[in-house]
């Protein structure tokens, strides 16, 4: 069979390429317009970790201490980890103390004055710093106790008659 003219064959080739392109557009795996692959996260329950922790604590012989309303842990930067209504367990022989429950990280100033009896000598510098900032705020010029008193002038009777 004799070859077809070049113009006809290239036209047919272009049509065949267009058909192939249309067919493969539906199965493309990447590029613009394709959906992103969702990352599958591994959902693990923390119940197993909690059971292992409780088993280890039981092995150490910790006993629950009832009746503790709050617990505070003082950090070196002056902040306090405050536990309200914690579950406290202790093993004095193993020198192990466990405090569990909801905690909040607060500044030392927020818990004053109710926390003063819990402060030790290592928190003395933080107390001095708080006292210095308090005295510096109260001794600012132009402010103070006279701020709340209105200026009524020299004659009190004229002001009271208005």
């Amino acid at each position: 069979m004799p070859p077809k003219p070049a113009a006809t064959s290239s036209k047919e080739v272009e049509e065949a390429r267009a058909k192939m392109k249309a067919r493969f557009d539906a199965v493309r795996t990447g590029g613009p317009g394709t959906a992103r692959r969702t990352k599958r996260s591994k959902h693990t329950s923390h119940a197993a970790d909690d059971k292992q922790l409780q088993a280890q604590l039981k092995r150490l012989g910790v006993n629950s201490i009832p009746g503790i309303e709050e617990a505070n842990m003082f950090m070196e930067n002056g902040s306090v980890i405050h536990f309200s209504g914690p579950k406290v367990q202790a093993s004095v022989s193993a020198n192990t103390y466990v405090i569990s429950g909801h905690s909040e990280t607060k500044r030392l100033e927020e818990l004053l004055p109710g926390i003063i009896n819990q402060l030790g000598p290592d928190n003395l510098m933080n107390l001095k710093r708080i006292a210095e900032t308090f005295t510096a705020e109260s001794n600012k010029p132009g402010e103070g106790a006279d701020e709340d008193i209105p200026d009524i002038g020299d004659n009190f009777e004229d002001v009271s008659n208005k």
Side-chain angles (χ1 to χ4, degrees):
M1 182 166 192
K4 293 183 180 180
T8 318
S9 68
S10 66
K11 188 176 181 182
E12 289 174 2
V13 170
E14 291 297 323
E15 289 175 4
R17 285 184 182 163
K19 279 184 182 178
M20 293 289 280
K21 190 174 185 182
R23 203 180 276 175
F24 285 116
D25 274 344
V27 293
R28 98 178 144 192
T29 57
T34 58
R36 291 183 179 220
R37 182 177 66 97
T38 57
K39 182 177 186 277
R40 299 211 173 217
S41 61
K42 183 179 177 186
H43 295 290
T44 58
S45 66
H46 298 289
D49 294 340
D50 192 41
K51 284 181 182 177
Q52 289 176 348
L53 178 64
Q54 291 300 329
Q56 291 297 325
L57 291 174
K58 189 174 184 180
R59 205 180 89 205
L60 286 173
V62 295
N63 296 320
S64 182
I65 302 174
I68 295 181
E69 297 174 7
E70 70 174 6
N72 296 309
M73 296 177 69
F74 299 96
M75 297 170 62
E76 291 180 0
N77 62 359
S79 60
V80 179
I81 300 175
H82 178 74
F83 291 89
S84 184
K87 178 182 176 186
V88 179
Q89 298 170 311
S91 171
V92 180
S93 62
N95 195 21
T96 304
Y97 302 91
V98 179
I99 302 173
S100 57
H102 179 67
S103 68
E104 298 174 344
T105 303
K106 297 183 176 182
R107 292 191 345 248
L108 189 60
E109 295 90 9
E110 296 175 25
L111 296 171
L112 287 175
I115 203 172
I116 289 181
N117 60 349
Q118 298 175 11
L119 296 176
D122 48 346
N123 289 317
L124 190 60
M125 291 303 295
N126 290 330
L127 261 179
K128 284 182 182 178
R129 181 181 47 83
I130 293 168
E132 287 172 1
T133 57
F134 181 73
T135 55
E137 288 177 2
S138 64
N139 291 338
K140 286 184 179 176
E143 296 182 7
D146 295 337
E147 195 173 88
D148 297 334
I149 302 171
D151 187 23
I152 55 174
D154 294 332
N155 193 349
F156 297 112
E157 292 177 4
D158 291 342
V159 174
S160 64
N161 291 335
K162 287 183 183 178

